[in-house]
Amino acid sequence: MATTQTGIAPLPDQTGATPLLEVEDLRVEFRTRDGVAKAVNGVSYTLHEGETLAVLGESGSGKSVTAQAIMGILDSPPGFVTGGAVRFRGQDLLALPDDERRAYRGRSISMIFQDALSALNPVFPVGWQIAEMFRVHEGMSKKDARNRAVELMEQVRIPAARERAGDYPHQFSGGMRQRIMIAMAIALDPDVLIADEPTTALDVTVQAQIMQLLADLQRERNMGLILITHDLGVVADVADKIEVMYSGRIMEQAPVHDIYATPAHPYTKGLLESIPRVDLKGQELSAIKGLPPNLTNIPAGCEFRPRCPYAREICKEQRPELTEVVPGRFSACHFAQEVLEGDIEPAQQ
Amino acid sequence: MADPTPPVIVEAEAPAATETTVRTLGRDAWHDLIRKPTFIVSGVLFVIFVTIAIVPGLFTSLSPTDCSLSLSRQGPSSAAWFGYDNNGCDVYTHTIYGARASIMVGVLTAVGVLLIGGIAGTVAGFYGRSTDTVVSRLGDIFFGIPLLLGALIVLVSFPGNAETPELVTISKVVLALAVLGWPQIMRITRSSVLQVRSADYVQAARALGAGGTRMILKHVVPNSIAPVIVVATIGIGGYIAAEATLSFLGVGLQPPVVSWGLAISRAQDYVRTSPHMLLFPASALSLCVLAFIMLGDAIRDALDPKLR
Amino acid sequence: MGRYVARRLLQMIPVVIGTTFIIYALVWALPGDPFAGRCGARPCPAAYVADMTAKYNLDDPLPLAYIQYLGNLLRGDFGETFQGLSVGEELLRAYPTTVKLALVAIAFEIIIGIGAGILAGLRRGSFIDNLVLVSTLVVVSIPVFVIGSVLQLFLGMRWGIFPATVGGDASLYNLILPGFVLASLSLAYVARLTRTSLAENRRADYVRTAVAKGLPQRRVIGIHTMRNSLIPVVTFIGADFGALLGGAIVTEGIFNVPGVGNLIFRSITTRDGVMVTGAVTVLVLVFLLVNLLVDLIYGWLDPRISHG
């Protein structure tokens, strides 16, 4: 398949300062016995201090794999980073030896996961698991570390924190478990927090509370936050910038409000149209037809072409690069301008 | 259903995608099995051993009664690769003929255990409540008696002698093992049935008024039998070993039956001077047990995608 | 917790009664003269038969005789063998040896079994992993009496590394070889269980979390992965200890270890009913109690299990 396309240069930087985190042309593949699945195919994005970046995509779009590659926690084998760079304050993490890289995990970049029940160790008390951060990274005494853990549990608003520090993960509700996960992730005051579908497993009311907590913590600590989700509704209020991923590539990148108003990629447009809206009650909900491509055999041309209502002949032959459509907005579509302006008709059936 | 084809201009590629989606669990399991070396090896061994058990005459021209005391305990030679035992019988011939009794005991015991344990487990799991309690407690009682010890007591209580017909001797061992071995299958079947019973399609069939027996035969059994079959296959190996152990202790099969366990038992007294009497039947026994265990293992791995 | 233990103990009562009744019935109530062949070649003296019949209420119907026997057991009276030896004393004399042998076997399971399992589980697909897989499969397939005989032949008789038999001197050194043989089967299971459990847990989400926390590899594996992986292994070894305490008829027989297994085997073959029923009762009790203990340990190791 066509991997000859060149890497995309780092996206222009609005502030001019060194970004906190810079992902450049990242490539990840999974080598399984059914073939090589190219999960991430040249992803680039930047994150600044205090900024919230939402990475949006269906499952299998490579959004979580990108995050795991940034953290260095890919299951390897079968997962391998085959190219690109992940720079934290200018330092390429992928070039570091394992033990030096480890020092960044938890301290500079932290991560919380979708399912806190399985992400927390079932056989250790939650207080112990949080305190472990201080004991291992800072050599703190058991007692001090435990006190700090309780403080953190209070900061993430867990009631009766001191009493509950000795409880085990299964004794907490889903929302409380996710708070514990968050407490653990922010323990060492990291600069970047990656939240991988942090609210997907939760009830809607709890979702809002967790999102609020994340937003508050981010503001207080001026962290860079990468929010990975498949749910457009979740990100609308908190994100500054959105990356839409599909088939291991970024399809569209834009400030959050622009993208809601005028999507510049047919995939984003499809995603927006598939959200139920109260004001459009009674109208038929449109879903994106078809399935994402098989990552072991991504067809030539545009990855989204088989599902795209606007596909033309050119889409079959040429893969569109991520290019700037209007200042600050990027789209990987041959007809980005037309989609943005709503000036395109669906192709003939 | 609405036309799922996306509005593209030309339809051409993506053959790989369709191939993977068509694969079903059963075909997937088979596909995995025939690529597994352990399955191939154990399958071939299985076929060989079963053939030996059914038509031992194909593998040796001698009969197990062709013995001559003058050859007693002679070591392996070009005339007799495995040597002779204390009665001057050809060890190779005895090893070949020993397969039948051993495999018969193993397979029949597995069938017996499957019948008793399978029915008890299905009934307990399907009807629940007091039926379940009674069957489960009964299972606990038999489970508390160690297999070997229980079988020993049973067999000693019903002693046989040289005049007892071969089939009776074999059935006694089979019964002794089956009576003590069923709780294991009962427990597996029970939990398997419990899982299936609560499945949506069974609830649906129930709601539609399907009766007990019909439900069990049509829905519950076919869907819960896979793990049970796997355990029973592995069990055959264990029962063959148990038979050999009982015969070794002198209470299992009795001469004139020819079995590996008996041969090993006889070899015990001469092990210092004639180790070939021990080594050849012991190897055949172990290889046969190995075949069944490997076969069961391979099937389980193929059926259970979680373990991959 | 206290209530859980009490409930479990109550549930044991029917199991113990059921088990001992079955054994009792098999030993005493079978057709034929229960005294046939018990006093050597001659028939038993009439006075002796009368004495025994009165003592064990053999003229009463079976359930009644059993209840009276059970009453004696509850008072701690295990009765006397046909030779007039106290069953209780005989058991007390044999038990320490069996416990010692079981401990030696458990030590092998822990050291070699868990050790090999960890090596294999940490490097899946490596040479060591395959070596462990193949060798455990082979060990599982070879019946214990074959392993025992072969090791005794080579390590004991031919090369004289270990004493071939134990006899009256059950020292730790003398028990090494029988202990290893006794452990062999479980050792293989322990190795495989450790390997599978470790390999499964290495992919667990919480291990990924531990890596994401920036913990050193040693700590991720040594504490987070290991603690979870060993839960089923510890449970298995505990249950196995319960089974081993029941005595090992085959191993004790081959190496002439004066333990409970040997005692029971001798009593079964001489049809010494009082000894057999007494010993089996103790054995089943020990087995059930150890299993209860294992369940409690399991709950303690895995906080998700509640015995509330």
Side-chain angles (χ1 to χ4, degrees), chain A residues 27 35 79 85 129 154 156 164 184 251 259 278 304:
Chain A
R27 290 165 190 278
Q129 295 188 52
E154 280 162 356
V156 296
R164 301 220 62 187
M184 203 157 76
M251 291 289 127
I259 222 167
V278 180
F304 188 58

Side-chain angles (χ1 to χ4, degrees), chain C residues 181-210:
Chain C
V181 170
L182 185 58
S184 57
L185 182 65
S186 302
L187 191 153
Y189 280 129
V190 167
R192 292 198 142 212
L193 188 60
T194 309
R195 171 187 179 272
T196 315
S197 175
L198 197 59
E200 249 171 39
N201 278 293
R202 285 196 85 187
R203 297 249 172 238
D205 285 356
Y206 63 81
V207 172
R208 173 178 288 175
T209 308

Side-chain angles (χ1 to χ4, degrees), chain A residues 33-34 289-290 294 297 299 305-309 311-313 316 347-349, chain B residues 3-10 12-17 20 23 32 35 308:
Chain A
R33 55 179 192 175
D34 292 329
K289 287 174 178 167
N294 181 348
N297 187 13
R305 179 192 58 82
R307 303 172 72 184
C308 181
R312 301 288 195 268
E313 196 60 39
K316 199 170 165 253
Q348 299 301 310
Q349 289 282 341
Chain B
D3 175 22
T5 322
V8 281
I9 301 150
V10 195
E13 76 285 302
T20 44
R23 273 157 61 174
D32 272 9
R35 286 198 303 182
R308 276 182 207 155

Side-chain angles (χ1 to χ4, degrees), chain C residues 229-300:
Chain C
S229 306
L230 289 183
I231 292 173
V233 180
V234 170
T235 313
F236 176 88
I237 292 181
D240 195 47
F241 186 58
L244 291 183
L245 285 182
I249 292 177
V250 174
T251 311
E252 289 184 9
I254 292 175
F255 292 96
N256 193 21
V257 181
V260 180
N262 225 335
L263 184 66
I264 293 177
F265 184 56
R266 241 185 305 125
S267 332
I268 292 176
T269 46
T270 56
R271 305 199 64 193
D272 196 334
V274 192
M275 187 76 223
V276 174
T277 41
V280 172
T281 309
V282 173
L283 214 142
V284 169
L285 270 176
V286 169
F287 177 77
L288 291 173
L289 286 174
V290 171
N291 269 306
L292 171 60
L293 209 65
V294 169
D295 282 354
L296 293 177
I297 293 174
Y298 186 48
W300 175 66

Side-chain angles (χ1 to χ4, degrees), chain B residues 240-253:
Chain B
I240 291 175
E243 176 275 309
T245 308
L246 288 170
S247 303
F248 172 78
L249 291 174
V251 297
L253 303 178

Side-chain angles (χ1 to χ4, degrees), chain C residues 7 46 67 76 142 149 179 194 260 271 278:
Chain C
R7 202 176 69 228
I67 289 168
I142 308 178
S149 303
T194 309
V260 180
R271 305 199 64 193

